[in-house]
């Protein structure tokens, strides 16, 4: 593993982390980077990405909490749904063939990008609309459904949850704050599931702590 | 190191979220994601 790869992994993680902290969106770029650019197998890329999402969700929340944009009690329904959804989504991600996982991942990215653009247009029209919080039951359903998709495809959560929350009437910054916290509820079971259920090698797991990703030679059929 | 770099980026971004034009950044991320996903899906289909 070269120093260049090490620097590239660190730079990509820092850049994606900054974007996640700013807008909640960009986490889905990590599995694309690991699998598409470094050539890791999808499951390995997912495991490393969700490990990063645990970090980003945990460290990103305090800033939004400090500005009053993260209401913990109101987020409980979303968190509970996401935790259960992520458990199911991880199993789906482990069972589905790599090709299916690849298509799902990029379809989710495509749909998420389009939804962000649509939400930006809607936000311009409803900029002065008062923010409100959906009922706990609705948040539970949203959390469960989005977590299944995210855990199976490698999206961090905010890329889907933020636009959906905004469409439900939640203010933009509050939506980002809730989604960051929600990403922890998705990432913890997903990380554990992919690490222990997906046969991720110690070498690849070491990439997360030592920045050694990209050392694997050759591209397999499971790579994105 | 990857997780440390990711955490540092998140802290930097989240504590400066109110200073930066987030809509513009979201637009860039959205357009980029659409483009990358479209290219990858086309490559996969061919």
């Amino acid at each position: 593993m070269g120093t260049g790869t090490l620097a590239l992994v660190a730079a990509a993680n820092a850049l994606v982390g900054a974007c996640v902290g700013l807008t909640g969106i960009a986490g889905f770029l990590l599995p694309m980077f690991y699998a598409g650019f470094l050539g890791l197998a999808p499951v390995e890329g997912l495991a490393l990405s969700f490990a990063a999402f645990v970090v980003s969700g945990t460290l990103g929340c305090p800033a939004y909490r400090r500005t009053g944009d993260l209401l913990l009690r109101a987020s409980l329904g979303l968190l509970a749904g996401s935790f259960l959804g992520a458990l199911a989504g991880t199993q789906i991600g482990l069972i589905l063939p790599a090709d299916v996982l690849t298509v799902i991942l990029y379809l989710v990215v495509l749909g998420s990008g389009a939804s962000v653009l649509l939400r930006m247009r809607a936000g311009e029209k409803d900029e002065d609309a008062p923010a409100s919080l959906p009922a706990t039951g609705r948040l539970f359903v949203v959390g469960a459904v989005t977590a299944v998709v995210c855990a199976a495809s490698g999206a961090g959560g905010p890329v889907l949850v933020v636009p959906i929350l905004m469409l439900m009437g939640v203010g933009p910054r509050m939506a980002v704050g809730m989604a960051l916290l929600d990403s922890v509820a998705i990432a913890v079971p997903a990380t554990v599931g992919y690490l222990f259920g997906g046969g991720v090698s110690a070498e690849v797991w070491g990439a997360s702590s030592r920045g050694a990703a990209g050392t694997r030679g050759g591209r397999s059929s499971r790579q994105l | 190191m990857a997780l440390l770099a990711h955490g540092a980026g998140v802290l930097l971004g989240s504590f400066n979220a109110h200073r930066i034009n987030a809509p513009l950044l979201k637009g860039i991320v959205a357009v980029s994601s659409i483009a990358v996903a479209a290219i990858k899906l086309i490559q996969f289909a061919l």
Side-chain angles (χ1 to χ4, degrees):
Chain A
M1 189 277 299
T3 307
T5 303
L6 177 68
L8 191 61
V9 171
N13 273 274
L15 183 61
V16 169
C19 291
V20 169
L22 282 170
T23 68
I25 296 171
F28 62 91
L29 295 174
L30 271 185
M32 294 171 64
F33 170 76
Y34 281 125
F37 189 78
L38 290 186
L40 299 186
V43 170
E44 294 170 336
L46 291 176
L48 295 181
S49 299
F50 279 113
F53 299 154
V54 174
V55 173
S56 59
T58 304
L59 296 181
C61 288
Y64 288 88
R65 179 83 173 140
R66 192 175 62 171
T67 56
D69 292 313
L70 174 58
L71 304 177
L72 295 178
R73 189 180 296 269
S75 305
L76 288 179
L78 186 69
L79 298 178
S82 293
F83 187 84
L84 296 176
L87 290 175
T90 303
Q91 296 308 310
I92 292 173
L94 289 171
I95 293 171
L96 285 180
D99 290 348
V100 176
L101 201 61
T102 302
V103 172
I104 288 177
L105 173 60
Y106 288 118
L107 284 176
V108 169
V109 171
L110 184 64
S112 301
S115 71
V116 171
L117 282 182
L118 291 174
R119 181 181 52 78
M120 288 179 71
R121 288 192 171 188
E124 290 171 0
K125 294 175 182 176
D126 301 328
E127 197 169 1
D128 297 328
S132 60
L133 286 175
T136 301
R138 291 179 67 195
L139 287 175
F140 180 90
V141 173
V142 168
V145 173
T146 55
V148 169
V149 176
C150 291
S153 66
V159 70
L160 286 181
V161 175
V162 170
I164 290 175
L165 288 180
M166 291 183 70
L167 290 174
M168 295 172 73
V170 179
R173 283 190 57 82
M174 187 171 289
V176 173
M178 291 175 68
L180 278 174
L181 182 61
D182 182 56
S183 67
V184 180
I186 297 174
V188 169
T191 302
V192 173
Y194 283 119
L195 279 178
F196 295 102
V200 178
S201 66
E203 177 191 11
V204 171
W205 177 233
S208 186
S209 57
R210 299 194 308 270
T215 61
R216 296 157 57 91
R219 290 173 175 263
S220 72
S221 61
R222 286 186 60 82
Q223 291 164 350
L224 295 180
Chain B
M1 178 177 287
L3 294 181
L4 285 176
H6 191 70
V10 169
L11 287 174
L12 183 67
S14 62
F15 281 98
N16 289 283
H18 61 287
R19 297 180 183 176
I20 299 177
N21 188 344
L24 175 61
L25 183 59
K26 284 185 178 179
I28 293 172
V29 171
V31 171
S32 302
S33 65
I34 291 172
V36 171
I39 291 172
K40 288 290 185 180
L41 287 171
I42 290 172
Q43 286 178 342
F44 185 82
L46 294 177

